[in-house]
Amino acid sequence: MDAQVKRYYQLKQKKKELETELQTLHEEIMAFCQEQASADMEIGAYRVKLVLQERKEYDDAKVYEALPDPEIWRLCSKADPSKLAGLVKLRVIPEETLKDTYTLKPITLLKIEKK
């Protein structure tokens, strides 16, 4: 078991290092694309795309007030965007009910594909 624990620890350390490197590379690529004012380009054997999305950031207090039934709030327990989207999709909550409970946060996703 000592070997498994040691290997697990080593892999967790490596994962942290890789995540840090990925974040640095992500920021550098995003900055380059912004400097080039391009959201779609080919670099070497790769196609780089920036995809703009909007994500909803809910205000817990506003969502609680907007929900017609406290039992629905218990399903969420906090304003979880994926749970709320699911409840809207299933028509448990009308989308109009949540209209003023969130702000839209623009985010840009980086997609890299090999040609």
Side-chain angles (χ1 to χ4, degrees):
M1 184 50 69
D2 185 50
Q4 289 94 334
V5 171
K6 180 180 179 181
R7 183 67 179 145
Y8 182 86
Y9 178 80
Q10 290 170 339
L11 289 173
K12 288 292 278 187
Q13 292 301 105
K14 188 170 199 129
K15 180 181 175 186
K16 287 179 189 176
E17 292 170 14
L18 289 172
E19 287 174 346
T20 300
E21 184 177 356
L22 278 168
Q23 182 63 33
T24 301
L25 291 170
H26 180 270
E27 290 169 5
E28 290 172 358
I29 294 167
M30 295 284 286
F32 178 79
C33 290
Q34 289 173 349
E35 286 171 13
Q36 300 298 311
S38 178
D40 190 353
M41 65 177 74
E42 291 185 12
I43 301 174
Y46 299 91
R47 181 180 198 113
V48 177
K49 291 182 183 182
L50 301 183
V51 180
L52 185 62
Q53 289 185 343
E54 290 183 334
R55 292 210 176 138
K56 294 177 181 179
E57 290 190 345
Y58 289 94
D59 180 310
D60 287 349
K62 289 179 180 178
V63 171
Y64 182 76
E65 290 173 17
L67 293 176
D69 183 355
E71 290 298 314
I72 295 174
W73 178 252
R74 287 193 190 101
L75 292 173
C76 296
S77 74
K78 71 175 213 127
D80 181 323
S82 62
K83 287 182 183 177
L84 287 168
L87 291 171
V88 169
K89 188 174 182 178
L90 293 171
R91 296 190 173 125
V92 174
I93 306 169
E95 190 165 2
E96 185 65 25
T97 302
L98 298 173
K99 184 178 77 168
D100 297 320
T101 65
Y102 60 85
T103 56
L104 291 176
K105 177 184 175 186
I107 61 160
T108 304
L109 301 177
L110 174 63
K111 291 188 176 187
I112 298 180
E113 301 168 345
K114 194 162 186 168
K115 291 193 258 178

